[in-house]
Every structure is written in structure tokens, then in C-alpha cells.
Amino acid sequence: MLRRLPYLLLLPAMLSCSKSDSSPTIDFGEGEGISYRDGNNLPAGPQDPTDWKSDGNWNQAEQNLFKSIPVNVKDASKGSLYGAGFYPNPVRSKAIIFYRTPVVTTCKLVIVDKDYNVLTENTFSNSIYPLESFTLNLFGSNFQKGRRYRLYYVMYNGTTLYTKGHGDIKMAE
């Protein structure tokens, strides 16, 4: 029994180590952490004040999502959004993402699960109109009913970071 004692003393420490200790997970915020919107983009429940706004500093996992674009997401944003959103939220299969900027930008979107696993990526460009909207198809095995996901976006013009942010979305039950 005495020989096993050192191993038994290590057991609580070993059990306390988990994936969350070594990898960050997303905190969706208070309540459900989404901004409820109906199919006409009208408020349909609680709103998350951190969604669809420009973000400040991102952690390393967030920065890594955008390695493929020609801007450094650690740079200070050179602009701001006049409006951005996603509806309906919760979504069954298709949703509209929209944004409004005063300049032409390219928009890179990345949707991840709570562990930053990339589920889908899209890139859009607005040409002459400052308000752009695009349909996203979120139907498929990557998205599970009732689960929340985070949509990150980076808007840039050439090598200039215009703005970056996020919005939380939920798949309908």
C-alpha cells in the first residue's frame, strides 16, 4: 500500500488537467450570449451588446484564424462599422450576414465552435455599395441543432485592417 501512495497523491493533479487548461474555449457571455433576431432582422429576444461591434485585442487562437489574409489582425483598426448583423438568429439553415462600411472592403468570415475548430470560412467583397449582405448556408453536419457558434469577421482594404469583430450565433432546435 505504501508503494501506491505516491501515485494516489498524483491522481487529483492528473484529473484536474483537461483540454480547457491547455486550450482556450469561447465564453459566449451572459445568458445565451446571442442577439435574437427574426427573419426581418427585428429584435426577437435578448441582445448581446458585445456582438457585431468592433473588437479590440484578440487572443492567439482568434489571431490564428486569419493567418491567410494580407493584414495583421494585431494592428489597430483604421475604421469602424456603421452596422453589422446576422439574421435570423437562431438560424435553421440559411441566414443573412450584412455589414456597412464607408469604404470598399474585403470581408473574411470564419465560423468556429466553442473550441475554435473552424467549421466554415467565406470571403466577400463589397464593390461600390457601402451596405453589403450575403446569404450563408449553415445546413449540414458541421452545425448541430441547439448549439452556439462564433462568427469572426475581419474587414480589410489591401493590407490595411479596417475593422474586426465577432457575433455569436445559435442553430435552432
Side-chain angles (χ1 to χ4, degrees), residues 99-118:
Y99 62 93
R100 183 175 177 199
T101 60
V103 298
V104 174
T105 60
T106 299
C107 179
K108 170 82 178 208
L109 306 176
V110 179
I111 300 177
V112 300
D113 65 12
K114 67 178 180 63
D115 296 316
Y116 294 97
N117 295 309
V118 175

Side-chain angles (χ1 to χ4, degrees), residues 63-77:
Q63 294 172 37
N64 290 343
L65 298 172
F66 294 92
K67 286 182 177 180
S68 66
I69 62 174
V71 299
N72 185 346
V73 295
K74 292 189 282 186
D75 291 346
S77 295

Side-chain angles (χ1 to χ4, degrees), residues 53-99:
K53 309 252 188 277
S54 294
D55 285 346
N57 294 328
W58 277 353
N59 65 38
Q60 191 61 52
E62 292 166 322
Q63 294 172 37
N64 290 343
L65 298 172
F66 294 92
K67 286 182 177 180
S68 66
I69 62 174
V71 299
N72 185 346
V73 295
K74 292 189 282 186
D75 291 346
S77 295
K78 303 294 187 219
S80 61
L81 292 172
Y82 291 138
F86 176 96
Y87 67 95
N89 198 10
V91 57
R92 293 206 180 284
S93 62
K94 291 185 180 179
I96 303 292
I97 176 90
F98 68 92
Y99 62 93

Side-chain angles (χ1 to χ4, degrees), residues 4-15:
R4 292 186 198 165
L5 187 59
Y7 296 109
L8 291 175
L9 292 175
L10 290 175
L11 187 61
M14 290 172 22
L15 291 175

